[in-house]
Amino acid sequence: MSDKAILEINGSKHEFPLVRGTENETAINIKTLRSDTGGITTIDPGYKNTGACESSITFLDGEKGILRYRGYSIEELAEKADFLEVVYLLIFGNLPTQEQLDKFHTDIKAKSIVDDDVKKILDAFPKTAHPMGVLSSLTSALTAFNPTSVNVDSEEDMYNTVVKILGKFPVLVAWTMRKKQGLPLDYGDNSLGYVENVLKMMFRKPNEEYVQNEILVNALDKLLILHADHEQNCSTSTVRIVGSSHAGLFASLSAGISALWGPLHGGANQAVLEMLEAIKADDGDTKKYMAKAKDKNDSFRLMGFGHRVYKNFDPRARIIKKAADEVLGDLGVEDPILDIAKGLEKEALEDQYFVDRKLYPNVDFYSGIIYRAMGIPTEMFTVMFALGRLPGWIAQWREMRLRKEPIGRPRQMYIGETLREFKSINKR
Ligand code: CMC
């Protein structure tokens, strides 16, 4: 293959180098497009064809259904690693030794106290507030309570910021849920593993001893691993672009949480469950919802189906579907919603509309069923996604800052009015 692309505009030829990634992905480097062509730009709504950065964190091949973190397949990580190892891997590039992992965990625990005054902010929210809005606000508020800016050139400073947010974020996650349920806000238990601690912080009742359930610990561990990174999706790009202005990590994460909230992104896990509930209430009439999803005059979409990048299958969805069966079986939960989901999936996979558009179940299709079986309220599903995605956001922010990427600032094609003369108000 040639190592350049030639663009011809009105008879003038312009050459651009091709760049290749380690998995032989090819991109045209158009860095000099505007200067070479006298200001011509590209238009690519939704950035469907635009690579915003070079990254060595996550590899994704949507045609083949491949997802790898730092070179390790998601299937192997979900089976063999635990979440904290994956967190370390994503952020620092390699799997930790036992010693590195122990130190990492100790450092995270040492930073896990959230200033008690943050509770006052939480108290000001009505109980009806959506937990994602609350989580985004509290994450942003952490900046005020930890005002020193990070010196990204200092490895130690970077490390301290990373362990700080990894320690405090699960506390905020638990508090958003407990506040909604009217439970007292307390802190974790430093004698526990990272995921065990999250569960205890979320579910501990003030009048009972909390007993760990291995099934829940393993299920949550796996779900968090599956959500931990997904290259340049909407929330991750948001974190990178906000961070590119040199806004701090907490502010960048807060913006990422807001991006994740939307139903086309992480909010889909809540929307899937609500959709399945609606189908159940409608006597399980999946055909009706299939017809709605295909009707161009109806804005309804089959939630949990389709993906910008996966045009074959989402490997995370395969793992989660299997896990849903196992977790519900292990917990002895019989949920008719799981049968509706399986029926809906089968219908969609055989339907020409979905086949033609290469629409497959995505990570959100079955995850809510597991969260529900674990006793997590529906409105918290996207918060759980955020907890899983946290290491990915941190890794991407860190990479962007270490690579000294320029501020993110896209161009546009102006299609508004040309110059107009101002008319005073009495002449309009
Ligand atoms: N139900 C019905 N039709 C759909 C769906 C769906 N879920 N998804 C895409 N389509 C159709 C869409 O109408 C369009 O049809 P046509 O070509 O006739 O106009 C075609 O498929 C291509 O869709 P698109 O909107 O151009 O594709 P996209 O890459 O911009 O959107 C998506 C990807 C995930 C936003 C979209 O598939 C969707 O809205 N899915 C439902 C929401 C969802 O499950 N989101 C979670 C994504 S995975 C977790 C995450 O990373 O956040």
Side-chain angles (χ1 to χ4, degrees), residues 48 264-265 296 301-302 304-305 308 353 357 362 364:
K48 290 192 177 193
L264 297 190
H265 191 10
K296 287 286 156 215
R301 284 188 163 198
L302 204 58
F305 257 78
R308 169 62 60 81
Y353 173 97
R357 290 167 182 76
N362 57 50
D364 290 323

Side-chain angles (χ1 to χ4, degrees), residues 181-220:
Q181 298 181 329
L183 289 168
L185 309 179
D186 49 18
Y187 292 90
D189 177 343
N190 276 354
S191 68
L192 296 174
Y194 192 80
V195 172
E196 287 172 330
N197 192 30
V198 170
L199 286 168
K200 184 171 176 186
M201 281 196 288
M202 287 175 76
F203 291 117
R204 194 177 80 83
K205 299 262 164 57
N207 51 355
E208 279 173 27
E209 196 187 330
Y210 182 77
V211 182
Q212 290 289 340
N213 178 335
E214 271 310 293
I215 302 167
L216 299 191
V217 176
N218 292 335
L220 184 56

Side-chain angles (χ1 to χ4, degrees), residues 87-225:
V87 172
Y88 189 98
L89 170 72
L90 281 169
I91 298 174
F92 302 113
N94 285 306
L95 284 167
T97 61
Q98 190 61 56
E99 201 183 322
Q100 286 169 328
L101 187 62
D102 291 345
K103 179 178 179 329
F104 188 46
H105 194 195
T106 304
D107 295 337
I108 289 171
K109 287 188 286 195
K111 301 281 185 204
S112 63
I113 300 288
V114 173
D115 194 301
D116 217 47
D117 279 349
V118 174
K119 289 180 182 166
K120 293 185 193 150
I121 303 174
L122 187 60
D123 271 344
F125 282 98
K127 274 214 180 87
T128 48
H130 194 285
M132 282 298 274
V134 177
L135 184 67
S136 167
S137 306
L138 296 186
T139 306
S140 178
L142 284 182
T143 312
F145 290 89
N146 302 270
T148 10
S149 59
V150 195
N151 173 7
V152 297
D153 296 322
S154 153
E155 221 173 283
E156 191 191 348
D157 228 32
M158 269 285 207
Y159 179 83
N160 285 337
T161 305
V162 167
V163 291
K164 202 182 273 179
I165 190 66
L166 286 167
K168 296 183 196 310
F169 198 75
V171 179
L172 301 185
V173 165
W175 283 4
T176 57
M177 184 173 111
R178 294 181 76 88
K179 161 80 182 176
K180 241 184 141 41
Q181 298 181 329
L183 289 168
L185 309 179
D186 49 18
Y187 292 90
D189 177 343
N190 276 354
S191 68
L192 296 174
Y194 192 80
V195 172
E196 287 172 330
N197 192 30
V198 170
L199 286 168
K200 184 171 176 186
M201 281 196 288
M202 287 175 76
F203 291 117
R204 194 177 80 83
K205 299 262 164 57
N207 51 355
E208 279 173 27
E209 196 187 330
Y210 182 77
V211 182
Q212 290 289 340
N213 178 335
E214 271 310 293
I215 302 167
L216 299 191
V217 176
N218 292 335
L220 184 56
D221 206 275
K222 191 174 280 197
L223 282 168
L224 296 179
I225 291 174

Side-chain angles (χ1 to χ4, degrees), residues 300-355:
F300 175 79
R301 284 188 163 198
L302 204 58
M303 299 315 286
F305 257 78
H307 198 275
R308 169 62 60 81
V309 187
Y310 292 121
K311 299 302 173 196
N312 184 326
F313 63 89
D314 180 338
R316 304 167 299 174
R318 273 201 180 154
I319 303 172
I320 292 189
K321 182 180 179 182
K322 193 161 161 271
D325 269 328
E326 286 164 6
V327 174
L328 268 62
D330 288 349
L331 292 173
V333 173
E334 273 182 38
D335 191 343
I337 288 285
L338 180 60
D339 296 328
I340 293 176
K342 284 184 180 169
L344 195 60
E345 176 188 351
K346 187 165 180 298
E347 262 175 67
L349 292 180
E350 288 167 1
D351 190 290
Q352 208 51 46
Y353 173 97
F354 287 86
V355 173

